[in-house]
Amino acid sequence: MRRISRRTALTLTAGAVTAPAVSTATAAAAGTTTAASPGQPSSSGPDPVLRTDLVTRVTPRNNWLVTAVALRYGRRIDLRGGVIPPATFQVNATVGGQTAARTVTRVYSNTTAAVDDRLRPGRPGPHLIVELDPDDPNARAAGTDPLPLDRAYRIRQVADIRAPGGEPILRAGPFASRNDGVINPVVDDFTAGSFTDSAGFELDFRLYQPEPFVRNPQARTRYPLVVTLHGGGEVADNNMTQLTGNRVAVTFAKPERQRRDPAFVLSPQIPLPRPMEGPDGTDWTDAKVQAALIELIDAFVREHRRNVDTDRLYLVGLSSGARGIYSLLPKRPELFAAALATAGWGDTATVDRIGHIPIWADHSVDDPVVPYREGRFGRPGTWTLMNALESAGTRVTRGEWANDLPKEQFEARSRALLHQARSAGSHTLFTSYTSGTTPVNPHLAWAQTYENDVVVDWLLAQSR
């Protein structure tokens, strides 16, 4: 079984509560007040809040956000088909010394302290899930480093919760709850570690281990290894923002992906003070960082030789992480089965060494940070690299479309491009995003990349 934290253990224990629902008679005996007046004493009802946790989510574009509050009660809550109005709860967050309201969007009961993404969410259980608007200005869970969120939220029930027949289920009261902790779905499933290479340079990393391996590490089942290279904004000493700054590593570890493609996910983090001594001023091309990264990968494969499929090692990265891919692949062209590189730049002189490696690259045409053609620090961008690959004899299959298409349309375009590549016998694909269509900032081309099941399926299907 996966090693779990005390917080997770408490949550799992809470999910096993099977006490009967609050009875109509008991609730009615407590009174029928529909709202608590400020300053007026009011019973909190027969079902006290035992624990309050924030629930976070790593999002494609807005990074790491607090998206819900999970309240655990002493008994099972059965709404009997009723719906809880969002105005039933008031939520305030103190972030960066500033206190402001959060917008409640949905409230429902559940068996566990987890968000239910279904159109009609929830089921009878000991938890109430108070979902929050991710677009709130104070929704963030991190800046450069994770924010201190323990007891940062105040949650108060301000109106009674009633069954469809009018019977009270949970009464409002004058007291607010403070969150006891923070639950980070998927992120909490990564273990934290560090690796010191032969030169004494240390890289922190996070590791996701597939559930079948955790249950039976002695089995000889082999799993692919996905190595994720973060962007320049995630260089830090927290061993966290390489997971939460962008939805890259989390993409490959989320439950629905792991059910389809169980895999190890290794996510190293470049430390501070940032090296920036690479030949083009980037961290993943810094000699110390790159040597440690290569040794880390080799050591991981060696230590897990019974369980890592060495024919299915993948590199994925964005921005300076994609630059790291174009730098690392020519040095170890025999090691990796495929790569996924977004908004990167590289060296045209070395592309002849990587023409045999399947690559799916993408880049916004109007990227101001890493220009599409010119790249950075005198090293060309993706468009120029793809031209150099073609000149070296690699067949590149190209497509261009808007980066703000709905997921279904976006994946349909990707599927058509993949069909075109297969028909042409091409294993190198290049997606360009039309100017003005990448939300938030044209550099953030990767927001759709890692939500795109066609691209991720393609990557994990590759083998040396």
Side-chain angles (χ1 to χ4, degrees):
M1 181 177 177
R2 181 183 301 283
R3 185 174 57 192
I4 59 177
S5 65
R6 181 173 178 271
R7 179 194 307 146
T8 307
L10 285 170
T11 302
L12 292 173
T13 303
V17 173
T18 55
V22 181
S23 69
T24 302
T26 303
T32 57
T33 303
T34 58
S37 301
Q40 178 183 345
S42 175
S43 170
S44 61
D47 203 4
V49 175
L50 302 182
R51 184 174 178 85
T52 303
D53 287 293
L54 306 184
V55 182
T56 69
R57 175 176 290 184
V58 181
T59 63
R61 290 194 176 91
N62 296 317
N63 302 328
W64 197 24
L65 306 176
V66 176
T67 55
V69 177
L71 303 166
R72 178 158 68 89
Y73 293 82
R75 299 183 183 181
R76 178 174 176 269
I77 299 167
D78 188 350
L79 300 176
R80 302 162 202 155
V83 176
I84 303 175
T88 303
F89 286 87
Q90 291 179 349
V91 179
N92 288 279
T94 302
V95 178
Q98 301 294 318
T99 300
R102 289 293 310 270
T103 305
V104 177
T105 57
R106 299 198 299 183
V107 184
Y108 48 87
S109 60
N110 209 354
T111 56
T112 61
V115 170
D116 186 343
D117 289 324
R118 295 177 301 173
L119 186 62
R120 295 181 60 84
R123 54 184 62 83
H127 294 87
L128 278 186
I129 308 301
V130 181
E131 288 194 28
L132 305 171
D133 188 343
D135 292 327
D136 285 344
N138 56 344
R140 292 181 67 86
T144 301
D145 293 307
L147 295 170
L149 291 175
D150 285 351
R151 289 165 293 284
Y153 275 61
R154 179 168 56 85
I155 304 94
R156 183 185 172 201
Q157 183 183 340
V158 295
D160 288 351
I161 297 172
R162 297 178 177 273
E167 307 89 350
I169 295 176
L170 286 175
R171 290 184 51 76
F175 303 114
S177 299
R178 290 279 186 180
N179 64 292
D180 300 286
V182 183
I183 298 171
N184 307 300
V186 184
V187 171
D188 285 340
D189 293 330
F190 282 79
T191 58
S194 67
F195 174 76
T196 303
D197 73 359
S198 57
F201 187 82
E202 185 176 3
L203 274 183
D204 283 345
F205 64 84
R206 286 297 191 109
L207 173 67
Y208 181 89
Q209 302 169 87
E211 287 285 0
F213 169 79
V214 173
R215 289 196 301 268
N216 186 8
Q218 301 306 315
R220 292 188 175 273
T221 306
R222 294 182 181 273
Y223 304 95
L225 169 64
V226 180
V227 180
T228 67
L229 304 184
H230 62 71
E234 290 73 61
V235 176
D237 287 329
N238 52 49
N239 206 2
M240 177 65 87
T241 51
Q242 75 269 38
L243 302 183
T244 60
N246 292 288
R247 195 173 164 87
V248 182
V250 165
T251 291
F252 296 94
K254 61 186 182 181
E256 54 269 38
R257 172 53 60 182
Q258 283 284 323
R259 283 193 292 269
R260 294 167 59 178
D261 296 291
F264 291 101
V265 185
L266 180 64
S267 187
Q269 183 180 46
I270 297 171
L272 291 171
R274 63 186 313 155
M276 291 298 281
E277 295 176 2
D280 55 2
T282 63
D283 300 298
W284 291 113
T285 57
D286 175 86
K288 299 186 299 295
V289 171
Q290 198 166 94
L293 173 63
I294 292 172
E295 283 194 35
L296 168 60
I297 295 170
D298 286 342
F300 184 86
V301 172
R302 184 171 60 252
E303 290 297 310
H304 295 80
R305 56 186 174 274
R306 287 162 51 104
N307 298 105
V308 171
D309 184 347
T310 54
D311 287 330
R312 298 180 66 202
L313 270 59
Y314 308 111
L315 271 181
V316 299
L318 54 88
S319 192
S320 64
R323 169 62 181 125
I325 290 174
Y326 292 125
S327 176
L328 185 59
L329 287 182
K331 295 181 175 72
R332 295 295 299 272
E334 83 294 344
L335 185 60
F336 298 100
L340 185 56
T342 302
W345 68 102
D347 298 300
T348 56
T350 59
V351 296
D352 59 326
R353 304 176 202 167
I354 64 174
H356 65 286
I357 303 172
I359 297 173
W360 197 321
D362 58 341
H363 207 136
S364 298
V365 171
D366 54 342
D367 188 336
V369 178
V370 181
Y372 176 73
R373 297 170 184 260
E374 295 82 7
R376 297 193 78 186
F377 303 105
R379 276 23 183 225
T382 309
W383 183 85
T384 308
L385 288 175
M386 294 298 110
N387 288 348
L389 272 170
E390 281 188 320
S391 296
T394 299
R395 181 169 294 176
V396 178
T397 304
R398 303 168 185 256
E400 180 176 335
W401 55 81
N403 203 11
D404 56 359
L405 293 175
K407 177 178 172 64
E408 296 77 12
Q409 295 180 32
F410 194 97
E411 291 188 345
R413 295 292 188 95
S414 300
R415 195 173 294 110
L417 186 67
L418 181 55
H419 177 74
Q420 180 183 341
R422 287 171 173 165
S423 298
S426 167
H427 58 249
T428 302
L429 299 94
F430 176 33
T431 306
S432 302
Y433 301 123
T434 305
S435 180
T437 66
T438 299
V440 184
N441 183 313
H443 183 51
L444 308 183
W446 50 82
Q448 287 262 39
T449 305
Y450 298 99
E451 300 304 294
N452 187 338
D453 288 327
V454 176
V455 170
V456 177
D457 286 345
W458 169 88
L459 179 77
L460 294 169
Q462 306 305 310
S463 181
R464 285 195 305 147

